[in-house]
Amino acid sequence: MKPAFVFGTRPEIIKLSPVIRAFLERGVKPLLIHTGQHYDYEMSAVFLEELELPPIDHHLEVGSGTQAEQTGVAMIKIEKVLMEEKPDVTLVQGDTNTVLAGALASVKLKIPVAHVEAGLRSFDRTMPEEINRILADHASEILFPPTEDAKRNLEREGITENVYVTGNTVVDAVLQNAEVAEEKSDVLERFGLEPKKYVLITAHRAENTDRGENLERLVEILESLPIRAIYPMHPRTRKRMEEFGLLERVEGIENLIVTKPLGYLDFLRLERNAFAIMTDSGGIQEEAIILNVPCLTLRYNTERPETVDAGGNVLVGLEKERALEYINRLLNDPEFYRKMANAPNPFGDGKAGERIAEILLELHKRGELRVKSSRFI
Ligand code: UD1
Ligand code: UDP
């Protein structure tokens, strides 16, 4: 069997690594296609190295652009590779432009698409990711929702065949790397941070960074934090901070360390030892609850409602008063802190990657890895 993996951004590399590993352990060599949506060393190569992935077979160097430019160029380049390589299935993960491009290019060549982390919905169609999720799910033949909630979202849209709840591969990645991170990373020492005495910040979503007034609200929250904080800044945000004249202001905040994006091992260790996490990232909302760290999400909705339902995550948006209210409660109310930190992980047992590989190998053996003409009964 020949599975092709199409990926291009930081979270896709991290979350597909357990699936790639599971195929390798079963004697199957996956074809690795990197679109190059992320290209800086600290947004891409560092993860390929740290996660010890095999060499990339095709590097497409798509780079940055408008939504259509990036998706279109990726589609054209992915199609060429798929036509040449003729894989049995194309795996994509998540909701980026790379995912949409990979799914569309593949299904139109009648190569079935397997969508890892299918069925997530923020119910906010103004987010580019929401459009990508919906379209990728509908172009996919085999769907791997991480949770029952995600499966129900697919059912509501009429997708019921070849749907397998597997858990989220993010758990596999965390379990495979958390101890290694504690051993190998010196990130706390490097930045002079003490365990449980700082907040970890990330923010990069288009809706938070592309408008000056929103980015300024983020800066105001950071200025008012009553505890030390560290912010590994995504290149998109750095660029916008510069454009809107906010970079110096944020870099000047006394209690805040602003740094480049960090490698996975450094970042995992920072997450695990944080007092709390404030983020608009999808993957980091998941990792926070897995690592028992309270999470305040800098958004008004989430496609990970399981984290909120479980009690480990609160949506604070860009509301300074609300963000501060929760940080202060966490600081002053040990019972509240304990409750948030001990929220149960809703994302599974860390065997999602193995399940995905097993299911695809079985479908292949039975001759069922193909694009069917209809899946609606
Ligand atoms: C993309 C995904 C988002 C995901 C995020 C993970 C889409 C629509 N968005 O957002 O869902 O959460 O990746 O991090 O696919 N840049 C660099 N160096 C890089 C990569 C990007 O400088 O290696 C800068 C460029 O100025 C670029 C901007 O960041 O224009 C945005 O990059 P892009 O890949 O378009 O979107 P992300 O914000 O990274
Ligand atoms: N991450 C990292 N270094 C950083 C920030 C994030 O290794 O400086 C990892 C993090 O552990 C998680 C993933 O990148 O696994 C999340 O990526 P991101 O927030 O960019 O994307 P999203 O999950 O929102 O799509």
Side-chain angles (χ1 to χ4, degrees):
M1 177 183 173
K2 186 172 176 181
F5 285 75
V6 175
F7 52 86
T9 68
R10 165 168 84 182
E12 294 161 72
I13 300 171
I14 293 167
K15 287 177 165 180
L16 282 174
S17 68
V19 192
I20 294 169
R21 227 182 242 210
F23 273 109
L24 288 169
E25 281 165 8
R26 285 158 181 76
V28 176
K29 192 204 162 301
L31 182 78
L32 302 187
I33 305 169
H34 191 318
T35 60
Q37 177 171 344
H38 285 175
Y39 42 85
D40 289 347
Y41 173 79
E42 57 269 16
M43 294 300 287
S44 171
V46 66
F47 303 106
L48 302 173
E49 287 169 18
E50 287 184 341
L51 295 164
E52 297 177 3
L53 293 179
I56 300 295
D57 297 287
H58 297 273
H59 222 305
L60 307 184
E61 294 177 4
V62 169
S64 308
T66 66
Q67 295 290 314
E69 276 164 4
Q70 195 174 50
T71 313
V73 173
M75 267 186 84
I76 293 167
K77 294 189 170 187
I78 293 166
E79 181 182 56
K80 271 203 187 101
V81 174
L82 294 179
M83 282 165 79
E84 185 187 310
E85 294 277 3
K86 300 186 176 48
D88 294 302
V89 61
T90 302
L91 287 98
V92 291
Q93 190 284 334
D95 53 22
T96 65
N97 289 342
T98 289
V99 171
L100 177 60
L104 287 181
S106 182
V107 68
K108 289 192 167 202
L109 291 171
K110 301 181 188 57
I111 300 166
V113 179
H115 190 194
V116 178
E117 204 180 71
L120 272 59
R121 296 290 181 269
S122 65
F123 303 102
D124 176 0
R125 282 162 47 87
T126 65
M127 291 175 71
E129 290 88 355
E130 183 77 348
I131 303 299
N132 293 344
R133 290 179 196 115
I134 295 171
L135 297 179
D137 281 338
H138 285 263
S140 294
E141 205 61 31
I142 306 115
L143 297 105
F144 295 116
T147 64
E148 292 293 333
D149 271 9
K151 182 184 173 192
R152 270 191 294 278
N153 289 336
L154 294 172
E155 273 166 11
R156 263 199 296 273
E157 293 174 21
I159 304 175
T160 54
E161 245 181 82
N162 271 338
V163 176
Y164 305 91
V165 177
T166 54
N168 196 311
T169 59
V170 73
V171 184
D172 313 26
V174 167
L175 296 183
Q176 286 165 17
N177 294 287
E179 288 311 319
V180 187
E182 284 302 321
E183 279 164 32
K184 287 199 181 164
S185 163
D186 62 353
V187 71
L188 298 185
E189 296 74 17
R190 256 181 16 244
F191 289 108
L193 292 166
E194 280 180 63
K196 302 296 161 188
K197 297 267 173 68
Y198 62 90
V199 172
L200 173 59
I201 317 277
T202 84
H204 71 276
R205 292 277 159 196
E207 66 267 25
N208 282 342
T209 59
D210 283 0
R211 285 179 38 204
E213 66 261 35
N214 287 350
L215 206 52
E216 189 160 9
R217 288 170 75 192
L218 172 68
V219 175
E220 283 167 6
I221 293 177
L222 300 179
E223 283 171 337
S224 65
L225 285 180
I227 174 171
R228 276 195 96 186
I230 179 164
Y231 182 179
M233 196 182 281
H234 191 291
R236 171 189 205 107
T237 317
R238 176 169 291 273
K239 196 174 132 194
R240 294 294 190 212
M241 289 267 185
E242 271 168 4
E243 262 174 47
F244 298 126
L246 291 165
L247 191 60
E248 269 185 36
R249 186 165 151 196
V250 78
E251 285 182 337
I253 299 174
E254 212 185 304
N255 242 350
L256 178 75
I257 301 166
V258 177
T259 178
K260 286 193 310 194
L262 296 168
Y264 187 48
L265 299 181
D266 278 347
F267 196 78
L268 263 185
R269 183 155 184 244
L270 265 189
E271 282 184 301
R272 195 184 195 180
N273 289 288
F275 170 76
I277 293 175
M278 296 176 83
T279 189
D280 63 10
S281 158
I284 296 168
Q285 289 175 64
E286 295 161 350
E287 288 168 350
I289 201 165
I290 296 163
L291 293 165
N292 296 113
V293 180
C295 184
L296 304 182
T297 293
L298 300 162
R299 290 175 49 189
Y300 295 89
N301 58 51
T302 179
E303 56 293 314
R304 276 90 175 167
E306 302 89 344
T307 56
V308 176
D309 296 344
N313 187 12
V314 177
L315 302 181
V316 297
L318 289 177
E319 307 299 326
K320 187 170 92 181
E321 301 309 321
R322 190 167 159 81
L324 281 183
E325 178 196 327
Y326 276 95
I327 282 287
N328 282 323
R329 264 181 92 179
L330 287 168
L331 282 166
N332 299 319
D333 182 346
E335 181 54 22
F336 180 69
Y337 187 92
R338 202 189 55 76
K339 262 192 160 161
M340 275 196 85
N342 291 334
N345 159 29
F347 295 116
D349 59 3
K351 295 196 162 67
E354 291 177 24
R355 285 190 194 101
I356 290 166
E358 288 291 341
I359 291 164
L360 291 175
L361 285 165
E362 180 61 26
L363 288 171
H364 181 249
K365 202 164 86 188
R366 299 207 306 248
E368 285 174 25
L369 266 189
R370 64 195 154 78
V371 178
K372 299 194 192 86
S373 54
S374 167
R375 67 168 158 209
F376 295 100
I377 312 154

